Amino acid sequence: MTQIVVLPGSWRKGSFNHALARAAVELAPKPDSFALHSIRDVPLYDGDLEASTGVPAAVATLKDAVAAADGLLLVTPEYNNSLPGTLKNAIDWMSRPPKDSGRVFGGKPVGIIGATPGMGGTRLAQGAWLPVLRALGMQLWSGGSLYVSGAGKVFDADGALIDAKVRELLTNYLAGFAAFAAKSRS
Ligand code: FNR
């Protein structure tokens, strides 16, 4: 079965992107085919730390999860018209050491979705990820897109995805991305 790592860029209580990531797990084309992971325990990148003790345990766990998966789904907030440094920091750590980056990211199918209470739906953040994904040698799925705007009305107070249209768009996105990842594996 196709396995996708779902990685949201926010872990705050009430995060719209974490809620969107949970909805992706719920609406995945096959039960348990999308797994939620967290960047919460990833420290700030520190070259001295890397030189002395290597990548931290939380980073090694994420690296192994992505390496074993058929694809990676980034669920990105947008900060100041660009990608969030928090999620970029985790990806940067995961690309270390360079000789191991290909095992984790090389040729790996990747999708990007995101949510914001604003109007732009994280378009600028999603666009800002593109050079990063190219640098990592990943395969972007561009057969669909999902830009969730007005997130305050799309999720309820418990973080459930209550907007029927967005549920349909997400379901379609996940099916398309999972098929792309499955094809890439075979
Ligand atoms: C934001 N936010 C934001 N939203 C947006 O649509 N475009 C933007 O450029 C920014 N810039 C921005 C900068 C910083 C530093 C913060 C903290 C926030 C608002 C952002 O979309 C909102 O806080 C979301 O709720 C963040 O995602 P989570 O935590 O809900 O997943």
Side-chain angles (χ1 to χ4, degrees), residues 1-8 33-39 42 57-75 87 90-96 100-111 129 133 136-139 177 181 184-185:
M1 181 167 58
T2 308
Q3 287 291 341
I4 305 292
V5 167
V6 182
L7 202 55
S33 59
F34 283 55
L36 187 60
H37 289 258
S38 175
I39 63 169
V42 175
V59 175
T61 299
L62 282 174
K63 286 177 63 175
D64 289 345
V66 173
D70 299 309
L72 172 65
L73 180 62
L74 296 175
V75 188
L87 187 52
I91 296 293
D92 288 343
W93 257 125
M94 292 165 69
S95 71
R96 305 298 293 176
D100 198 32
S101 181
R103 174 181 74 93
V104 178
F105 295 116
K108 185 77 61 181
V110 61
W129 276 105
L133 305 180
L136 297 171
M138 303 189 83
Q139 283 191 73
F177 179 53
S184 171
R185 180 178 56 173

Side-chain angles (χ1 to χ4, degrees), residues 10 12 14-18 77-81 116-117:
S10 173
R12 72 178 181 90
S15 161
F16 296 120
N17 287 283
H18 204 279
E78 179 171 299
Y79 288 171
N80 293 311
N81 292 359
T116 169

Side-chain angles (χ1 to χ4, degrees), residues 33 44 48-49 75 84 88 102 105 129 141:
S33 59
L44 284 177
D48 290 338
L49 180 66
V75 188
K88 174 71 159 47
F105 295 116
W129 276 105
W141 183 60

